[in-house]
Amino acid sequence: MPDLDHKRYVIGLTGGIACYKIAELVRRMLEQGAVIDVVMTEAATHFITPTTMQALSGRPVYLDTWDARIPNSMAHINLTRGADAILIAPASTDFIAKLAHGLADDLLSTLCVAKGSCPLLVVPAMNREMWQHPATQRNIAQLKADGASVLGPASGDQACGEIGDGRMLEPQEILAELIAFEQPKVLAGKRVVVTAGPTCEPIDPVRAITNRSSGKTGYAIAQALREAGADVTLISGPTALAAPYGVARIDVESARDMHGAVMQQAFTADIFISVAAVADWHVSNASENKLKKSADGQAPTLQFALNPDILAEVAALQNGPWCVGFAAETENLNEHAEAKRRRKGIPLLVGNLAQQAMNADDTTFVLFDDTGAHTLPLLPKLQAARQLVQAIAKRLPDRKA
Ligand code: CTP
């Protein structure tokens, strides 16, 4: 099921060059199942045409308080009734000022005052000086105090050629924020460290031993944690995946690198989730230079030494984070997983069958805790991750809650 299935949004465009990006946003939202009514201010129509927005949204575009298409000509009331949110994007300096003062002199501003309990999300887009102006900052603070969510702005190159804060978030980032907005904030304010992906153990500067972990499960969990309001640091072995929006990623290669990065972060974390497929051994006689074939055809002999068990070490910390482990097993899942949970001294271990989970898009998690085994349904990894996050939030002891 797409993430915005059966959700209905009013998107309000106001005057700004970033209007062109809303065409892309509308397409991405429709792919996720959303139904969208577009409302434009007169200024917005100078940057993108209502015809474009109508063709993309597949519905009439509203421009005018006096539009007679809605029964009783009450677009300013009817459009937001039953809507899941109003999204003002791009939100200009002028429109933000209007919102902060409750002005209602066109359809979009009137609709925002008449919205009742419909959530309001505001996505600012303006020049950095306009953003930093004390009046804008006062207005933004007022909008937040009135219960609006302000998304962004981002920092970087601006259409005017200056560099600084005030850029509108990219369409994919706005979409990620909208999807996150729908998720319950069960881990708001918690700091979570997640490991993901494989590790890569060097043999020489050009060769390495690694495993088939894609990182998909760990990345989905990082995204689900962020959607639940957590502050997430993802410590990742080499993968082909992009970091989920809003998640800080630290890239590592070997198990010993991962160990170092985790131990730096663990003391300040509330929760540690060890999803990475960490190599149990590294090559202790790895060569500084590329190994060459010997004349007699003799293959090199590799020697192995044990890697640190990162999860067990974090679980043993005094006042350390609440720990969640993973176990991908090829057989006897319940026996191996529960034994592993006890051996590592952790309150929750998530088991799955390696042959089903590796590189797959769907997964079945079995949760092992002090009360036994609990099987979650087969779901796409992100949805499974969201269920896992709920399960973690329920089990998190008060000390860390
Ligand atoms: N793990 C870890 N450090 C290691 C090995 C594993 O932190 N050196 C973590 C994994 O991230 C996972 C859990 O421990 O959360 C179980 O990993 P797994 O490889 O299944 O367990 P092992 O202890 O290595 O047991 P075995 O390989 O013998 O099944």
Side-chain angles (χ1 to χ4, degrees):
M1 195 174 71
D3 280 319
L4 301 180
D5 202 33
H6 289 105
K7 300 284 174 190
R8 198 165 77 70
Y9 296 95
V10 174
I11 298 188
L13 284 80
T14 72
I17 188 65
C19 276
Y20 79 94
K21 293 188 178 178
I22 305 307
E24 175 72 12
L25 174 66
V26 165
R27 294 206 59 152
R28 298 285 87 85
M29 287 174 67
L30 291 182
E31 278 169 10
Q32 293 296 328
V35 174
I36 301 166
D37 284 311
V38 174
V39 180
M40 298 173 72
T41 63
E42 200 270 329
T45 63
H46 292 275
F47 293 95
I48 190 166
T49 69
T51 316
T52 304
M53 298 313 299
Q54 181 155 308
L56 290 172
S57 68
R59 292 166 72 86
V61 168
Y62 297 90
L63 305 166
D64 184 0
T65 316
W66 316 115
D67 195 318
R69 276 172 298 182
I70 289 211
N72 303 329
S73 187
M74 290 285 184
H76 67 290
I77 308 285
N78 296 342
L79 279 176
T80 60
R81 299 299 180 260
D84 289 279
I86 306 170
L87 181 75
I88 307 293
S92 66
T93 316
D94 174 63
F95 198 79
I96 287 170
K98 266 191 192 176
L99 283 177
H101 291 88
L103 297 189
D105 63 355
D106 62 8
L107 176 58
L108 188 58
S109 55
T110 310
L111 176 149
C112 289
V113 178
K115 72 180 185 59
S117 58
C118 184
L120 177 64
L121 291 87
V122 178
V123 195
M126 64 195 73
N127 164 270
R128 67 191 174 100
E129 295 294 355
M130 295 169 89
W131 172 251
Q132 275 161 14
H133 193 284
T136 306
Q137 291 303 311
R138 271 199 309 277
N139 291 335
I140 287 287
Q142 184 61 55
L143 288 189
K144 289 181 181 169
D146 291 345
S149 300
V150 177
L151 311 181
S155 196
D157 291 342
Q158 304 206 303
C160 53
E162 297 185 359
I163 299 171
D165 292 342
R167 272 173 66 96
M168 191 176 77
L169 296 185
E170 294 300 327
Q172 287 294 358
E173 296 173 335
I174 300 173
L175 180 65
E177 291 282 11
L178 271 179
I179 292 170
F181 187 74
E182 299 297 330
Q183 302 304 319
K185 300 290 173 256
V186 290
L187 290 178
K190 299 285 177 249
R191 208 175 105 64
V192 188
V193 174
V194 183
T195 64
T199 62
C200 186
E201 307 297 330
I203 295 172
D204 68 17
V206 298
R207 300 181 181 92
I209 299 174
T210 185
N211 61 63
R212 294 185 193 278
S213 168
S214 65
K216 284 181 188 169
T217 301
Y219 278 57
I221 289 169
Q223 178 176 338
L225 288 162
R226 202 268 171 178
E227 289 174 352
D231 166 8
V232 187
T233 301
L234 176 63
I235 299 174
S236 175
T239 73
L241 304 174
Y245 171 66
V247 167
R249 184 173 73 183
I250 300 172
D251 291 319
V252 295
E253 293 266 325
S254 70
R256 286 168 296 163
D257 295 342
M258 186 173 277
H259 173 254
V262 169
M263 296 321 284
Q264 270 193 356
Q265 301 283 329
F267 289 98
T268 54
D270 297 295
I271 303 169
F272 173 57
I273 308 181
S274 185
V275 196
V278 185
D280 290 319
W281 303 278
H282 64 269
V283 180
S284 58
N285 60 340
S287 172
E288 273 184 27
N289 296 311
K290 185 180 169 193
L291 292 173
K292 305 300 282 179
K293 280 198 287 284
S294 64
D296 61 4
Q298 186 78 35
T301 305
L302 299 180
Q303 285 160 7
F304 291 92
L306 210 55
N307 277 331
D309 188 323
I310 305 169
L311 176 58
E313 211 175 301
V314 175
L317 290 174
Q318 277 216 327
N319 291 322
W322 198 79
C323 289
V324 181
F326 267 73
E329 305 290 344
T330 53
E331 55 182 353
N332 302 332
L333 174 64
N334 287 29
E335 251 169 71
H336 288 316
E338 182 53 23
K340 205 166 272 185
R341 186 178 81 86
R342 289 181 187 279
R343 193 168 69 240
K344 305 217 179 202
I346 53 173
L348 180 64
L349 185 132
V350 184
N352 53 19
L353 282 171
Q355 52 274 44
Q356 277 175 11
M358 288 294 224
N359 261 310
D361 291 325
D362 295 352
T363 192
T364 303
F365 287 151
V366 187
L367 311 189
F368 297 87
D369 64 11
D370 284 340
T371 65
H374 316 271
T375 305
L376 301 184
L378 176 70
L379 286 169
K381 283 186 173 171
L382 181 57
Q383 287 177 36
R386 287 178 183 146
Q387 291 210 355
L388 174 62
V389 166
Q390 300 274 343
I392 290 171
K394 270 195 205 128
R395 287 166 174 79
L396 199 63
D398 283 345
R399 181 175 66 91
K400 297 281 179 192

